[in-house]
Amino acid sequence: MSQLSLLKKQSFLPYFITQALGAFNDNLFKNFLLLVIVFSSLYNQAESAMLVNLAAGLFILPFFLFAPLGGQLADKYEKSRLIKTLKLIEVGVMALGAWAIQMHSIPLLLGLLFLMGAQSAFFGPVKFALMPQHLKQKELLAGNALVEMGTFLAILGGTLCAGFIFHTEDSAFTASVCVVVLSLLGFVSSLFIPKALPNNAELTINWNPIKQVVKTIRITKQNRTVFLSILAISWFWFVGATYLTQLPHFAKTLISDDPQYVTMLLTIFSVGIALGAIICEKLSGDKIELGILPLGALGMSVFGFDLYFSSQNIITSNSMTMVDFTLNNYRLLLDLMLLSASGSIFVVPLNALIQQRSEKEHRAQVIAGNNVLNALFMVGSALFSIVMLTVVHLSVLELFLSIALLNVIVSIYVFSQVQEFLIRFIVWIISRVLYRAKSTGLDNIPETGPAVLVCNHVSFVDAILVGAASRRPVRFVMDKNIANLPVMKYFFKWAKTIPICSPKVSTEIYKQAFDQIDKELSSGEIICIFPEGKITRTGELNEFKRGIEHIVKRNPVPVVPMGLKGVWGSIFSRSGRFTIMRAIKRFRSELEVVASTPIPAEQISAEKLEKVVYQLVNN
């Protein structure tokens, strides 16, 4: 679905406006305060630098102290009411902030910055835990892409607005009015957010922040894939924070001390994030496509490396206009935009993944754990930059190069630990690059709970095509001879396929297969089998075996008939011997994956399923 179509829905638009206004206002207030500190005549350079670092610490400290508590509250209470309360608190904090700006009270402004960080720490878990309740599964990725795009553009807008207001004649009054008006607008928009019922109304709140931080991290570790996804998201914030923090230094030392160049670089970085969010949704379709994660990770390093080389000979002069600079250094600017776009492609599916796969009862607490680790990695980014720049004496360009190298190492670790990401990448490449695939009726695959998919068997890549179409991970039952092919056996093992053979060949393997199928279904997983038991040699449907009847007898779950259309004749089918000309002719051939309505277990028979699948592939 189109991302922008979500903005027409009451279930999303008020929420989107509320969070965007909050991000804009936070950054307007914070950056205006930083400008006041830097240019204040009350402090020397050393004191000013100390206060700037103190301000950054005061804003991020609440995420460690209060995000876990915010996660508990978001799980226990109705979310729209909680958001209204938090936005009303923001109005009060900003009213005090307006008064403190008028009084030029730096200590009070710093204290209010801490309160703003606390309000944001409470708001983070509830805003992301709310999305899975208001959006359908197929809308979740588009929603996250819009939020990512809106948040970064709001951060940029607040930052630029702070700089503009600071240079106006009556900056204190203007800033005071803006922060109050924006907070009021945020509160008004929150009034239109639909209700989202509690996930765990019986939850007992733990008010001890230290103990709850430890407990929250433990909760995030319960699902290994979710926890490693959170670490990967935190790494994105490590990389992003490094670039955003060092771009002013980069601009001043390598381009010019004119602030407009800093503004331009920050704008390009933020536009890249927005562009990446749009690309992410286009590449993924209407599901959370983990296969594009390696593309994002690769782009973060490739464009990071090229940024280093393209910055070696920057063309600039005092008489050069911004247009001239852009034309003469387009490669550098393109690298920066594509680097941030790659980061967005990397992080958007991961954010959607942790919302989708976290247990409903403590989803907000998992998101709170994500926020805590994100903040920790951003602090780590600052410390890393300080050490590299002041102790190791790297230049800012060498710091960027080291980040690109580290990203390669982190990416290899993440993809080696969560093979699903790499498997989905291979599946995505085959289904999107070698074919032009479309799907029909995939909403018939249950969003949660166990089910069995049955499909016709046309080619050697049928499992990949079905797996690519499904919004949920699928466990495939596969002939043991194929599952044990050299090299490919490692891929099939990563994909958690279930080898099977005829009981005449091995009763042990046959029994183990059905035991594993039963175990996966009992765990709520999706199983896919090809009841023909072999790939067609004629393009016509072979007789369905009765293994499906045995499966649903042991574990009565719904069965979803599926059909592959247009695959016969492709290079992976048995329609003829392989030739280069045939491969070229069939490259990017069209195919369709269709699914019918689920059939209850008590109505299942091999003959009935064969008829349904025949109708699917021949209509």
Side-chain angles (χ1 to χ4, degrees):
M1 66 172 298
S2 169
Q3 290 175 341
L4 297 181
S5 64
L6 283 179
L7 297 178
K8 301 176 183 178
K9 295 191 172 187
Q10 189 183 351
S11 60
F12 186 78
L13 180 60
Y15 157 82
F16 176 80
I17 293 173
T18 300
Q19 67 87 27
L21 286 172
F24 189 101
N25 210 15
D26 280 355
N27 284 275
L28 170 58
F29 185 92
K30 181 176 69 174
N31 285 286
F32 184 83
L33 171 58
L34 294 179
L35 289 169
V36 170
I37 292 172
V38 170
F39 291 98
S40 173
S41 59
L42 298 175
Y43 307 106
N44 60 36
Q45 187 173 355
E47 291 171 334
S48 177
M50 184 271 292
L51 285 172
V52 167
N53 288 322
L54 177 61
L58 285 172
F59 187 77
I60 206 166
L61 178 61
F63 286 90
F64 295 101
L65 296 177
F66 303 126
L69 177 57
Q72 292 180 88
L73 295 174
D75 278 332
K76 184 175 178 64
Y77 297 108
E78 195 274 309
K79 294 175 185 58
S80 67
R81 184 178 179 183
L82 193 56
I83 289 176
K84 295 180 185 71
T85 303
L86 289 170
K87 299 309 289 185
L88 191 59
I89 290 172
E90 182 185 330
V91 173
V93 171
M94 287 303 175
L96 284 174
W99 179 75
I101 290 172
Q102 293 293 316
M103 296 296 102
H104 302 286
S105 174
I106 300 298
L108 181 55
L109 286 169
L110 289 171
L112 290 170
L113 187 64
F114 176 85
L115 292 180
M116 280 179 53
Q119 190 268 349
S120 297
F122 279 105
F123 185 67
V126 65
K127 76 173 183 179
F128 280 113
L130 177 141
M131 269 203 287
Q133 290 182 256
H134 281 174
L135 300 181
K136 299 175 183 176
Q137 286 279 353
K138 63 182 181 181
E139 297 173 332
L140 197 54
L141 184 118
N144 274 274
L146 272 175
V147 168
E148 188 78 15
M149 178 174 65
T151 300
F152 266 85
L153 292 179
I155 290 171
L156 173 65
T159 302
L160 297 180
C161 188
F164 175 78
I165 291 173
F166 184 76
H167 290 98
T168 59
E169 185 174 346
D170 195 356
S171 60
F173 176 76
T174 305
S176 300
V177 171
C178 283
V179 296
V180 172
V181 169
L182 285 168
S183 63
L184 284 170
L185 289 174
F187 172 69
V188 170
S189 64
S190 73
L191 297 176
F192 296 92
I193 298 176
K195 287 186 177 181
L197 297 177
N199 292 333
N200 187 3
E202 305 303 317
L203 178 69
T204 301
I205 301 295
N206 180 2
W207 298 97
N208 186 315
I210 305 302
K211 288 184 178 180
Q212 188 56 34
V213 166
V214 175
K215 183 181 177 182
T216 299
I217 299 301
R218 283 194 191 131
I219 289 174
T220 64
K221 288 183 176 180
Q222 289 178 3
N223 184 315
R224 189 168 181 273
T225 300
V226 168
F227 180 66
L228 288 171
S229 298
I230 288 173
L231 291 180
I233 293 169
S234 299
W235 172 249
F236 161 80
W237 284 105
F238 183 102
V239 174
T242 302
Y243 278 101
L244 285 172
T245 304
Q246 299 305 323
L247 280 179
H249 185 197
F250 174 88
K252 185 175 182 180
T253 56
L254 295 175
I255 303 176
S256 168
D257 57 4
D258 188 335
Q260 67 177 339
Y261 286 98
V262 177
T263 300
M264 180 182 69
L265 294 180
L266 290 173
T267 300
I268 287 172
F269 191 90
S270 298
V271 169
I273 291 288
L275 176 65
I278 295 171
I279 294 172
C280 178
E281 198 261 345
K282 295 298 181 185
L283 293 177
S284 301
D286 60 357
K287 64 177 181 290
I288 300 170
E289 181 51 80
L290 303 179
I292 65 175
L293 292 178
L295 293 179
L298 180 65
M300 288 166 68
S301 284
V302 168
F303 297 115
F305 288 138
D306 200 59
L307 179 67
Y308 172 80
F309 292 110
S310 63
S311 301
Q312 297 298 321
N313 298 296
I314 297 175
I315 301 173
T316 184
S317 69
N318 292 331
S319 60
M320 184 177 287
T321 65
M322 295 292 288
V323 174
D324 291 333
F325 177 84
T326 302
L327 293 175
N328 283 287
N329 300 278
Y330 66 89
R331 178 181 162 192
L332 181 156
L333 301 178
L334 190 61
D335 282 334
L336 185 61
M337 179 181 291
L338 292 177
L339 186 153
S340 61
S342 298
S344 190
I345 292 170
F346 180 74
V347 79
V348 167
L350 289 172
N351 276 323
L353 175 71
I354 65 172
Q355 294 166 28
Q356 181 192 58
R357 296 199 186 176
S358 299
E359 292 294 332
K360 180 181 176 182
E361 290 73 19
H362 49 242
R363 180 183 291 142
Q365 293 176 78
V366 170
I367 294 169
N370 177 50
N371 291 347
V372 170
L373 289 173
N374 292 172
L376 182 62
F377 272 64
M378 283 190 280
V379 171
S381 163
L383 295 176
F384 177 80
S385 297
I386 291 170
V387 170
M388 292 295 105
L389 294 173
T390 61
V391 179
V392 184
H393 301 294
L394 296 184
S395 67
V396 66
L397 265 184
E398 290 168 337
L399 173 64
F400 288 170
L401 180 63
S402 68
I403 289 293
L405 288 167
L406 277 174
N407 186 65
V408 173
I409 297 170
V410 171
S411 298
I412 291 172
Y413 172 76
V414 169
F415 297 132
S416 67
Q417 294 298 306
V418 190
Q419 289 90 359
E420 181 183 354
F421 296 164
L422 196 56
I423 290 167
R424 290 298 306 183
F425 175 65
I426 296 170
V427 167
W428 183 83
I429 288 290
I430 292 175
S431 63
R432 286 299 190 97
V433 176
L434 298 184
Y435 294 99
R436 285 178 293 160
K438 66 177 183 178
S439 56
T440 305
L442 294 187
D443 288 342
N444 289 310
I445 300 176
E447 292 186 356
T448 58
V452 177
L453 312 180
V454 297
C455 188
N456 59 319
H457 210 355
V458 195
S459 76
F460 291 101
V461 293
D462 291 347
I464 289 176
L465 298 174
V466 172
S470 174
R471 296 188 185 94
R472 293 178 58 188
V474 180
R475 306 283 186 260
F476 289 91
V477 181
M478 181 178 293
D479 183 274
K480 77 172 184 65
N481 294 321
I482 298 176
N484 291 322
L485 285 173
V487 181
M488 289 301 295
K489 65 182 179 181
Y490 299 107
F491 174 79
F492 294 138
K493 184 177 180 181
W494 285 347
K496 298 182 179 179
T497 57
I498 303 172
I500 195 170
C501 66
S502 167
K504 296 177 182 178
V505 176
S506 173
T507 55
E508 183 179 357
I509 293 176
Y510 181 80
K511 181 179 181 301
Q512 286 176 351
F514 280 97
D515 288 343
Q516 186 62 33
I517 291 169
D518 186 58
K519 180 180 178 182
E520 296 289 349
L521 291 173
S522 298
S523 300
E525 300 291 345
I526 294 279
I527 294 292
C528 180
I529 67 169
F530 300 96
E532 296 166 86
K534 58 183 178 182
I535 299 173
T536 179
R537 293 184 176 273
T538 63
E540 298 298 323
L541 208 62
N542 292 309
E543 181 184 357
F544 276 24
K545 310 297 183 185
R546 298 194 176 279
I548 181 61
E549 297 176 4
H550 184 44
I551 290 171
V552 296
K553 185 177 181 180
R554 290 184 62 173
N555 203 319
V557 299
V559 177
V560 181
M562 298 185 70
L564 292 170
K565 301 170 69 174
V567 183
W568 177 252
S570 70
I571 58 174
F572 295 107
S573 68
R574 285 175 165 165
S575 62
R577 68 186 184 87
F578 175 83
T579 65
I580 298 297
M581 288 304 298
R582 180 184 167 213
I584 294 173
K585 187 176 180 180
R586 293 293 298 179
F587 181 72
R588 297 286 293 160
S589 57
E590 292 186 3
L591 64 88
E592 184 178 9
V593 183
V594 292
S596 181
T597 53
I599 301 174
E602 59 272 15
Q603 298 178 21
I604 293 300
S605 70
E607 292 85 358
K608 180 176 182 177
L609 288 172
E610 184 180 334
K611 289 178 181 177
V612 175
V613 173
Y614 178 84
Q615 291 173 349
L616 286 175
V617 298
N618 287 284
N619 283 341

